[in-house]
Amino acid sequence: MTPDARPSLTAILSALSEEQSGLLEQLKGAKKKTVAGRDFWLGQLHDQPVALGLSRIGKVSATLTAAVLIGHFGASRIVFTGVAGGLAPGVKVGDVVVAHDFIQHDLDASPLFPRYEVPLYGRSCFSCDPALTALLKQAADRALAASSHPASQLLTGAQVHCGLIASGDRFVSSAAESSRLQSALADAGHTALAVEMEGAAVAQVCADYGVAFAAMRTISDRADDTAHIDFPTFVADVASQYAQRIMEELMRSLPETG
Ligand code: ADE
């Protein structure tokens, strides 16, 4: 390490404590700090300095948590790990979607701006950092390749997809709503693989600060009429295992300084 090179702080964001619990168990030297009514955990995860944060649910809460991680703790990269509803055909429960970019499916300032366009940014989609995303995709591939191991709680046969994720302040819980959402996005030229409630907000904050962002979501439900049953079961039983395994692979592949 050169004299002025400091190890960069990686922030790992999850929406819910159930998704974060496995990471917290593995955090060495964990110290809790509370900012803006939120608990953050600082420590070492597989020899990387990290801050664990909870975005809570929805875009406003996620925006604030991301801004605290960057502005207060000085995070130089943010990785989101959580769950999502599958939208595109072939995106099954237990699969992982690594985000290429994000769109807000509930943003509509038309006729002032085209539907989905973020006013005054001139664009609808916010891209993730290509280098960090490539590392995250490789980490997910490695973790899922090991899923046939008897000790693994990851679902066997699960696939890793990479593409657009749609975020909005709605839990999508009917097949009718899922297909309306997909066809409205398709009319504007977008195909989303999955839907969740925070990622696009964090992507926009990271773009504003010039901080690298990558995100992975394990598919907990198909955003259809059984989503409200599938989601809590999956979050309680398996989501944290995915976060733990994939973040371990990612931490081991990160460069030492940033
Ligand atoms: N996160 C997980 N499943 C979801 C769904 N069906 N809608 C929105 N966010 C989700």
Side-chain angles (χ1 to χ4, degrees):
M1 221 189 279
T2 56
D4 58 352
R6 279 180 298 135
S8 53
L9 181 71
T10 303
I12 304 178
L13 255 182
S14 318
L16 300 169
S17 56
E18 292 90 334
E19 296 164 293
Q20 189 193 59
S21 58
L23 298 172
L24 195 48
E25 278 166 24
Q26 294 189 316
L27 194 68
K28 297 232 168 78
K31 285 204 177 63
K32 185 168 86 168
K33 304 261 176 191
T34 305
V35 180
R38 289 154 159 71
D39 293 340
F40 296 87
W41 291 92
L42 302 176
Q44 300 276 326
L45 192 65
H46 308 295
D47 296 327
Q48 287 285 341
V50 302
L52 304 182
L54 292 179
S55 66
R56 303 184 182 174
I57 295 179
K59 291 183 289 171
V60 174
S61 280
T63 300
L64 177 59
T65 311
V68 170
L69 282 166
I70 299 168
H72 185 88
F73 292 106
S76 57
R77 53 173 88 91
I78 295 187
V79 181
F80 203 114
T81 162
V83 298
L87 290 181
V91 178
K92 309 178 301 295
V93 170
D95 285 359
V96 170
V97 176
V98 174
H100 175 272
D101 52 357
F102 282 95
I103 190 166
Q104 293 184 54
H105 68 75
D106 56 353
L107 179 52
D108 186 357
S110 61
L112 303 178
F113 297 91
R115 186 167 183 187
Y116 305 117
E117 184 171 310
V118 183
L120 311 181
Y121 283 76
R123 58 186 154 136
S124 307
C125 297
F126 282 81
S127 296
C128 296
D129 180 75
L132 189 56
T133 298
L135 290 178
L136 181 57
K137 163 88 169 63
Q138 287 160 16
D141 284 335
R142 282 197 298 275
L144 265 63
S147 65
S148 52
H149 189 280
S152 171
Q153 290 191 9
L154 277 53
L155 306 188
T156 44
Q159 286 179 287
V160 182
H161 311 264
C162 191
L164 179 69
I165 297 183
S167 309
D169 289 323
R170 289 184 62 79
F171 184 79
V172 179
S173 59
S174 77
E177 183 177 354
S178 167
S179 75
R180 269 198 307 276
L181 191 151
Q182 289 180 71
S183 57
L185 284 168
D187 287 348
H190 304 291
T191 306
L193 300 185
V195 63
E196 38 84 306
M197 303 180 68
E198 300 83 21
V202 181
Q204 189 173 331
V205 171
C206 288
D208 284 346
Y209 276 102
V211 162
F213 177 54
M216 56 135 286
R217 294 278 182 161
T218 307
I219 300 303
S220 55
D221 62 88
R222 280 285 306 165
D224 58 12
D225 302 65
T226 61
H228 65 289
I229 303 165
D230 303 336
F231 169 84
T233 315
F234 193 92
V235 167
D237 297 346
V238 249
S240 93
Q241 298 292 327
Y242 275 79
Q244 206 174 314
R245 285 293 306 118
I246 297 173
M247 287 307 106
E248 176 174 352
E249 293 288 350
L250 179 67
M251 292 304 113
R252 295 194 192 287
S253 68
L254 285 178
E256 240 178 60
T257 58

